[in-house]
Every structure is written in C-alpha cells, then in structure tokens.
Amino acid sequence: MTGETTHNLRGDYSRMRPDYTVDQDWPAYTPQEHALWRRLYERQAALVPKYACREFIASLSALDFGAAIPRFDAVNPRLAAATRWQVVAVPGLLPDAVFFEHLANRRFPVTVWLRTPEEFDYIVEPDVFHDFFGHVPLLFDPVFADYLQAYGRGGLKADALGAIEMLSRLYWYTVEFGLIETSEGLKTYGAGILSSGGELPHCVESDEPNRIGFDLLRIMRTAYKIDSFQETYFAIRDFRELFEATAPDFTPHYAKLAGLESHAAGEVLSSNRVLHRGGNRQRPA
Ligand code: PHE
Ligand code: CO
C-alpha cells in the first residue's frame, strides 16, 4: 500500500523496466480472475454509497469498471484529461524512492496481479483490486490529486532527511485509512478501507477504534498496525484542509519529532480532538 516494505514480494520482478514498470498484459488474465474481480467489485460497490466520501462515489460510478479487471490503458486518457495523472503497471510493492518518484510525476503505480479466491476477505499485500478500486477513483479529484503529488515530492525529501518512517505514517493515516467529516456524517476516503469488505463499515460504525481530528504532527508521531483493523482513524474536514496542512516545509517537523517517542496506535491524548473514544479491544482483521 505504501511501498515501505520490500521483503518477500509476490510479484514477478524479472521483466520490469528500470523505473519498475511492466506491461499490464491484460490478455493474460483468466476468466476466473475476471470473475473474482466482479465478486470483489460487487461487494465493495454495494457498501460504498453508505461509507465512502462523495468524491469517491461519483468517480466510481462514472468509471464503471465492475465487469472485468480494467485495462489501465483505457482509464489513462480519462485520468489525463481530469487531473493529468496516469496509472502505471508494476509487479507489486516498490522501493520507497521509486514509489515517491512516480507520485512526484503524477504516475500512480498499480500492481498487476490479483489475489487468490482464498484471499477474498483479506490480503496483506496490495493487489490490483486494492490499488485500482481503492486508489484510482480519487485520482480524479483535483485537490486530492495535487496532495498525492506533493506527497511524492515530500517523500523524496524525507528520504534525504532520514524521515521516511514519519512521512509513511501520514500516507497510512490519510491515503490508506483516512476519514472525512461531512454533513452526512463520517465517511472514508482511505484506499485501504475502501477495498476492504470488513473495514468499510467498521471504520465509522464500530465502537472499538478511536476517531480523532486530523493533526499532522500527531499523525507523524503515531505507530500503526498493518495486519489488523486500525485502532485509530484520523478525520479531515475536506481535501483542502489536508493539502494546506501538509504544504509547509516538513524539515522542522522532522527535527522536532526525531527526539520524541512514538505514540502507540491506540493511544488518545488530551490534546486530541476526539470524535469517538474507542474501547481498543483487539480483534483480528
Ligand atoms: N510539505 C512537505 C515537505 O516539505 C511535503 C509534503 C506535502 C508531504 C504533502 C506530504 C504531503 O516535506
Ligand atoms: Co494502497
């Protein structure tokens, strides 16, 4: 999801170009894989109207890619026209610097392989369903699209400053697991939630997790869980808030945070704008 882990990778990295891109090789997908895609899509599309932010809902229905694994080449002209972004095919997770370089140039890396039917409910590594269904629709939103590019540029800088761990937390708690406060209640724009059958209702309805107002430094100081539902979600008010809060130079933030201990994933602080205080009971994802 974030490109921060590069061990035990599942994809075929033997045929990639120097920038880690590959051909999607769409004709190689099997009828069984297209059928699995349809099942995954149907489950998520049924949940989206209730739990996703309106930007995601609008984009998903306009794109209408539920019938088969989409051809990246088919979405790219539409994406180019909307926000000048492109989808590029990759074998799987990427080294940090490669991932940041793509984002900084408005290219979103999408994994080519699809999970197995046994992984219908849960998968740790991002596959084409997570990457495409979860991430691509929001690339059509102009403000979110600019945020993601700024994040990529910020990543290249964080790499040089030894601050990737702090910056990765921001990606995790926004791009992957972010919530958004709307006049219709809390919704989500996080791809890790949007592509998950269980976490989509859980993130806004469950009593277990904390839900806290977006706070940049607090997020960059907070650890996260990669193999269970999140213990804390952070909510923005809109993409403009996210873009503006992250626009200033992070160099002083990194310097300040470097000497401080991290907060645990489930911690609530007195300084937090608490929307919901969770019970933090552990449960498997
Ligand atoms: N403003 C950040 C920096 O100076 C870059 C950034 C923008 C990081 C948006 C994340 C998201 O490092
Ligand atoms: Co992701």
Side-chain angles (χ1 to χ4, degrees):
M1 296 181 194
T2 66
E4 81 250 17
T5 49
T6 47
H7 50 89
N8 292 330
L9 297 175
R10 192 192 298 194
D12 175 8
Y13 289 75
S14 68
R15 270 175 295 212
M16 66 191 188
R17 303 172 191 103
D19 68 354
Y20 279 68
T21 62
V22 294
D23 291 326
Q24 186 188 9
D25 195 12
W26 192 86
Y29 293 120
T30 65
Q32 289 76 17
E33 287 175 316
H34 290 300
L36 177 59
W37 175 278
R38 278 193 291 278
R39 285 174 56 216
L40 286 162
Y41 186 97
E42 273 167 31
R43 174 178 61 180
Q44 294 313 107
L47 294 166
V48 153
K50 187 162 177 199
Y51 300 109
C53 65
R54 62 181 164 75
E55 294 86 348
F56 184 90
I57 297 170
S59 194
L60 188 72
S61 59
L63 287 169
D64 192 19
F65 53 76
I69 299 171
R71 293 180 186 263
F72 302 168
D73 287 351
V75 78
N76 273 337
R78 303 175 69 176
L79 204 40
T83 57
R84 296 177 292 109
W85 270 78
Q86 291 286 282
V87 162
V88 291
V90 294
L93 288 169
L94 306 178
D96 294 319
V98 176
F99 181 66
F100 294 143
E101 186 70 35
H102 281 302
L103 297 186
N105 290 286
R106 294 175 96 87
R107 292 188 300 263
F108 194 83
V110 174
T111 301
V112 289
W113 56 266
L114 183 66
R115 68 191 68 188
T116 66
E118 291 70 37
E119 293 166 310
F120 187 71
D121 285 321
Y122 189 74
I123 183 166
V124 180
E125 259 181 273
D127 70 337
V128 62
F129 185 75
H130 164 78
D131 282 342
F132 202 98
F133 185 97
H135 289 285
V136 171
L138 282 181
L139 296 175
F140 283 81
D141 181 85
V143 181
F144 186 85
D146 285 350
Y147 168 68
L148 208 53
Q149 177 178 33
Y151 180 89
R153 289 177 173 158
L156 295 169
K157 192 164 101 187
D159 203 0
L161 295 171
I164 284 187
E165 189 184 15
M166 292 177 241
L167 192 69
S168 298
R169 291 165 170 173
L170 178 63
Y171 191 90
W172 190 262
Y173 282 118
T174 61
V175 178
E176 294 293 355
F177 292 96
L179 301 186
I180 184 162
E181 294 179 88
T182 79
S183 49
E184 283 96 56
L186 270 182
K187 307 285 174 182
T188 184
Y189 67 97
I193 299 173
L194 289 160
S195 64
S196 160
E199 197 153 359
L200 206 32
H202 173 90
C203 71
V204 294
E205 285 177 351
S206 171
D207 283 339
E208 291 170 30
N210 305 308
R211 289 181 274 271
I212 294 174
F214 177 85
D215 176 340
L216 177 64
L217 273 96
R218 157 65 156 109
I219 288 175
M220 293 205 290
R221 216 184 142 176
T222 306
Y224 58 82
K225 299 281 168 73
I226 66 160
D227 53 4
S228 65
F229 291 165
Q230 300 306 302
E231 293 180 8
T232 302
Y233 300 96
F234 293 92
I236 58 171
R237 291 188 175 96
D238 53 34
F239 294 138
R240 185 58 62 187
E241 176 192 15
L242 181 58
F243 184 83
E244 283 169 6
T246 53
D249 181 6
F250 283 9
T251 311
H253 296 332
Y254 295 148
K256 181 178 167 193
L257 292 171
L260 302 174
E261 226 177 287
S262 301
H263 298 305
E267 217 167 314
V268 177
L269 311 170
S270 56
S271 56
N272 294 151
R273 187 167 69 88
V274 179
L275 306 173
H276 172 80
R277 180 183 289 266
N280 293 324
R281 288 172 298 278
Q282 276 301 299
R283 71 130 92 163

